[in-house]
Amino acid sequence: MEGKDDLNINAIYQKEMLLNSRKMRNFLYISFFNLFLGAVSLIMFYSFFMKSNYSGMIQYENIFQVFNMIGVTELGMVCVMVPLLTAGSIAGEKERKTLDSLLASNLVSYEVIIGKIFSSIGIIMHLIVSSFPIVSIVFSIGGVKITDIVKLFALCLVAAIYIGSVGVFFSAWIKRTIAATVGTYIYVLSTVFGTVFLVRIFNIFWSSNNLAVKYGGSFEQEKFMYIGLLNPFFSLSEVTCVKNKVSSLYQISLIKDSSKSWFGLSITVQLILALIFILAASKKLIPSKRKCQKQK
Amino acid sequence: MLQLENISIAYGKCKVVEDLNLDIAEGEMFGLVGPSGAGKTSILRVIAGIIKPNGGAVRVDDINIVVNEKKRKRMIGYLPADFGSYESLKVSEYLQFYASTYGYGGKKTTEVCNQALSFVHLEQRENELVDGLSRGMKQQLSLARSIIHNPRVLVLDEPYSGVDPIALKEIKKILVKLRQLGKTILITSHMLPEISDICTSFGVLDRGKMIIHGKTEEVITSINVINPIVIQILEGEEKALKILKEEVLVRTVSIEDKRIAITFSGDEYEQAKLLTKLTNSGVLIGSYNRIKGDFDALFNAIVHQPDLNGGER
């Protein structure tokens, strides 16, 4: 088309980033997030390493606990903020009475959805990048590799896409901001806490009924961890925990050193789920195809 | 140019529009009027592609735009009844956003936005926030948005709604200009007098059915049942009243001073026979004339009378 934008940037994304840049709340998000993250990191750093004044010994592996807490804080921030940013995306357009004009325009439904998700990811990325100086505290003693940091940020990005797609899905289907936000938080809480609860309950049941003896050891237990693939914190424990990794989250004993890349598996599953939610949300925006009489 | 063929729209079990047929020629401005709930907005939303009909087709130049989404989006410009805006966007940014949704970029965006703004006489407001505009200006801006991609057909849902008289005049001028540029326009409104003076044709919709449609002048003058006949009686008033009340083709009779107004569903031949009957009965008639009905009376009569031309609705 004549005059087509050379960069082909999604129009919704551009508009949302323009509007976001004018809002005071983004500045407040960045400020408070970094204040909180900085406070948590420094308190943990102080509590672990100032003890050495008395004992004369430094437990270098404690830095992983600091790293773990930073990871939990960042991922927790994603889980709290992304629903707020995305659950009102489509519902908000309907409430503002701008949805009809968008649907009548040249945009196709998935472009609207993708634009909304990526604008929320843009804000999350601002927060994550702004936290680099605080996260770099983990390099002060060593032990944490740069690849671990990259994995952490990749995880946050995937979690933002995953939870963002859930938010947009609820927003497209429910079409009321508050209800969509509640729905998204219920999903997040179910995957974060619900999966842990389910697996631990089953684990207790498994152990108390000697099912390990009946079914040949803990090998079968490991299969229950697959439910954790839905949980972003499952992926986080693979990155930030030194010992026992994901199994510690679900308190399942792994009898062999599993060669499975739970991290790779979990982010793949979450991205596939994100794609499903995006497609479902796009389908909702398409005018419902009713049976039309055959016309020439 | 714009054809609606057997369009049916239902929301669940509720049938809103049933087997609607309409043909609007290129360059026409068609006014669609009807009471609330008649189905006007639903029809416009089907044409704009926001909802799909339960049956039928919408054709623009023989292309069924219900199934051909790409062509529809280029050909149709839609102005919804409610104006929605994004807080903190300026007028120019608002139009640039919508221009970009139609694939415009770079210098072309600025060009089309400036053209649209000057067309609706808002060029001096380009740096103001959209939220700060008056209702009338927002409608003008909404109109600019709907024409930014130079569509051939415009569907406008109540563009006069809530605007002040000055803005209304301004919007009318813009619509007339658009018609002169060859755009085909379908406009809905409750404000009949405003539609009647700029529309080339119009239709009345009631409960999902088109009761009447055609050229404005034809509709105004052809509905005998709506336009009252006023008969000035010089003598024999009571006799005249008796004859008129007994006459099957006389629908209503009202009297004021010596002037009897009737609504008559017969044709001119039957009118002549009625007059002859009156004069033969000894009634002295001073004058006889048919009042050209106004649109409000026309609308109310068509919508509220159960049997307009002897047919069922």
Side-chain angles (χ1 to χ4, degrees):
Chain A
M1 173 182 293
E2 186 188 344
K4 191 159 174 61
D5 191 345
D6 292 335
L7 291 177
N8 206 21
I9 297 172
N10 183 293
I12 298 284
Y13 173 78
Q14 273 188 303
K15 184 257 299 174
E16 291 291 323
M17 293 310 287
L18 177 64
L19 287 174
N20 287 335
S21 68
R22 291 176 180 174
K23 288 178 185 166
M24 188 59 162
R25 69 177 187 195
N26 293 336
F27 162 75
L28 291 172
Y29 287 157
I30 291 173
S31 303
F32 285 116
F33 169 67
N34 282 295
L35 275 171
F36 181 72
L37 186 66
V40 164
S41 307
L42 287 173
I43 288 168
M44 288 204 70
F45 198 87
Y46 178 85
S47 69
F48 285 129
F49 295 105
M50 289 313 287
K51 285 177 194 172
S52 65
N53 281 345
Y54 305 104
S55 67
M57 286 173 60
I58 295 175
Q59 299 282 345
Y60 288 100
E61 64 184 19
N62 286 339
I63 197 67
F64 288 98
Q65 293 188 51
V66 177
F67 182 47
N68 187 35
M69 189 47 70
I70 286 173
V72 167
T73 306
E74 295 220 338
L75 194 57
M77 174 270 297
V78 169
C79 292
V80 168
M81 283 191 60
V82 172
L84 287 173
L85 295 170
T86 54
S89 53
I90 306 300
E93 295 282 351
K94 189 169 168 68
E95 286 160 4
R96 263 193 307 267
K97 299 181 174 37
T98 49
L99 186 61
D100 281 359
S101 304
L102 280 182
L103 294 176
S105 75
N106 225 25
L107 291 175
V108 289
S109 55
Y110 73 82
E111 283 178 307
V112 176
I113 301 292
I114 295 288
K116 291 287 183 183
I117 290 175
F118 275 87
S119 66
S120 71
I121 289 169
I123 297 169
I124 299 297
M125 286 296 108
H126 279 146
L127 288 169
I128 290 172
V129 168
S130 71
S131 70
F132 276 164
I134 296 168
V135 173
S136 63
I137 198 174
V138 300
F139 293 128
S140 57
I141 291 176
V144 176
K145 293 175 283 188
I146 193 74
T147 49
D148 294 329
I149 303 290
V150 170
K151 274 187 179 177
L152 174 61
F153 289 152
L155 171 61
C156 288
L157 177 62
V158 169
I161 295 171
Y162 173 41
I163 297 171
S165 67
V166 174
V168 171
F169 168 80
F170 277 107
S171 195
W173 280 79
I174 295 177
K175 289 206 173 96
R176 278 184 298 149
T177 301
I178 293 172
T181 309
V182 169
T184 312
Y185 275 124
I186 289 173
Y187 181 90
V188 170
L189 289 170
S190 304
T191 50
V192 171
F193 298 110
T195 55
V196 175
F197 177 75
L198 271 176
V199 172
R200 289 194 181 187
I201 287 290
F202 188 84
N203 195 32
I204 292 168
F205 176 76
W206 180 275
S207 305
S208 64
N209 287 286
N210 291 318
L211 293 171
V213 174
K214 190 176 175 185
Y215 290 103
S218 303
F219 180 70
E220 290 298 318
Q221 260 184 310
E222 190 177 299
K223 288 185 182 173
F224 304 129
M225 277 179 21
Y226 283 99
I227 199 172
L229 296 176
L230 300 174
N231 185 355
F233 286 90
F234 179 94
S235 324
L236 178 69
S237 58
E238 268 286 282
V239 176
T240 59
C241 293
V242 179
K243 296 176 186 173
N244 301 325
K245 297 208 183 252
V246 296
S247 59
S248 64
L249 188 65
Y250 291 93
Q251 290 190 346
I252 288 175
S253 305
L254 295 174
I255 58 163
K256 59 183 184 181
D257 184 21
S258 175
S259 60
K260 279 195 190 70
S261 170
W262 291 103
F263 177 76
L265 257 178
S266 63
I267 61 172
T268 304
V269 166
Q270 286 163 29
L271 284 172
I272 290 170
L273 277 174
L275 186 63
I276 292 169
F277 281 119
I278 288 169
L279 289 171
S282 301
K283 193 178 175 193
K284 189 61 183 169
L285 284 189
I286 297 170
S288 56
K289 293 182 194 287
R290 304 168 197 240
K291 280 187 182 175
C292 287
Q293 291 170 3
K294 282 188 181 175
Q295 297 286 339
K296 287 181 189 173
Chain B
M1 175 169 194
L2 174 63
Q3 292 161 307
L4 274 62
E5 293 174 5
N6 299 318
I7 289 290
S8 295
I9 305 167
Y11 296 107
K13 288 182 184 173
C14 176
K15 286 184 189 173
V16 175
V17 175
E18 209 169 337
D19 288 327
L20 183 84
N21 287 285
L22 185 61
D23 198 337
I24 304 170
E26 190 164 7
E28 267 200 89
M29 189 179 306
F30 188 92
L32 186 63
V33 298
S36 297
K40 306 186 297 294
T41 296
S42 299
I43 290 168
L44 294 202
R45 295 180 93 215
V46 161
I47 298 170
I50 293 162
I51 60 173
K52 290 252 183 188
N54 290 73
V58 177
R59 294 188 196 279
V60 176
D61 288 345
D62 292 328
I63 299 167
N64 185 354
I65 59 172
V66 170
V67 295
N68 200 323
E69 200 176 313
K70 270 188 181 170
K71 289 238 154 99
R72 182 192 68 236
K73 285 174 185 277
R74 295 301 308 171
M75 286 181 174
I76 306 288
Y78 174 56
L79 188 148
D82 298 310
F83 179 86
S85 69
Y86 302 101
E87 57 193 27
S88 314
L89 271 189
K90 294 179 193 171
V91 167
S92 55
E93 289 166 345
Y94 178 86
L95 278 185
Q96 281 165 7
F97 164 62
Y98 280 100
S100 63
T101 65
Y102 285 102
Y104 292 107
K107 284 181 185 170
K108 189 69 181 172
T109 312
T110 316
E111 189 189 314
V112 298
C113 291
N114 289 340
Q115 277 174 4
L117 277 177
S118 65
F119 194 86
V120 299
H121 312 306
L122 283 180
E123 60 271 22
Q124 290 181 357
R125 307 268 177 182
E126 63 175 338
N127 290 318
E128 288 183 29
L129 289 178
V130 174
D131 276 351
L133 298 179
S134 67
R135 173 71 182 146
M137 287 178 188
K138 283 180 181 175
Q139 281 294 78
Q140 286 169 249
L141 180 61
S142 201
L143 206 46
R145 184 199 66 218
S146 65
I147 62 172
I148 204 154
H149 57 296
N150 196 23
R152 292 180 59 199
V153 177
L154 287 170
V155 288
L156 314 173
D157 199 354
E158 309 215 15
Y160 301 138
S161 174
V163 301
D164 57 85
I166 296 169
L168 195 145
K169 222 172 165 181
E170 196 59 46
I171 292 170
K172 272 167 78 170
K173 275 190 213 166
I174 295 166
L175 292 179
V176 168
K177 258 201 295 183
L178 285 167
R179 196 186 80 205
Q180 287 166 352
L181 286 172
K183 306 284 183 201
T184 305
I185 304 172
L186 172 57
I187 176 172
T188 68
S189 182
H190 294 299
M191 296 168 74
L192 300 163
E194 281 76 17
I195 276 190
S196 64
D197 62 351
I198 61 166
C199 288
T200 54
S201 52
F202 83 100
V204 179
L205 194 71
D206 186 37
R207 283 169 280 183
K209 290 187 189 287
M210 192 72 77
I211 298 164
I212 190 162
H213 65 91
K215 296 283 180 202
T216 304
E217 298 79 19
E218 288 168 6
V219 172
I220 285 279
T221 56
S222 68
I223 307 297
N224 294 336
V225 70
I226 304 306
N227 301 346
I229 299 170
V230 177
I231 309 168
Q232 189 176 18
I233 308 290
L234 298 176
E235 278 180 23
E237 200 179 284
E238 282 181 20
K239 212 182 287 183
L241 275 172
K242 188 169 179 262
I243 293 169
L244 290 169
K245 282 179 181 172
E246 284 169 2
E247 179 61 46
V248 169
L249 294 173
V250 171
R251 292 182 164 268
T252 60
V253 181
S254 60
I255 182 164
E256 196 177 326
D257 290 333
K258 283 184 176 266
R259 295 161 65 86
I260 300 176
I262 62 167
T263 52
F264 185 70
S265 59
D267 57 21
E268 284 182 353
Y269 180 73
E270 281 152 341
Q271 264 180 56
K273 280 170 77 176
L274 177 64
L275 276 175
T276 308
K277 196 175 175 183
L278 285 168
T279 51
N280 288 344
S281 305
V283 174
L284 195 61
I285 295 172
S287 68
Y288 161 90
N289 67 293
R290 180 181 289 281
I291 293 175
K292 194 173 178 182
D294 63 33
F295 253 89
D296 282 326
L298 169 70
F299 176 74
N300 284 324
I302 289 173
V303 165
H304 296 301
Q305 285 195 8
D307 188 14
L308 179 61
N309 288 318
E312 284 183 5
R313 281 203 273 129

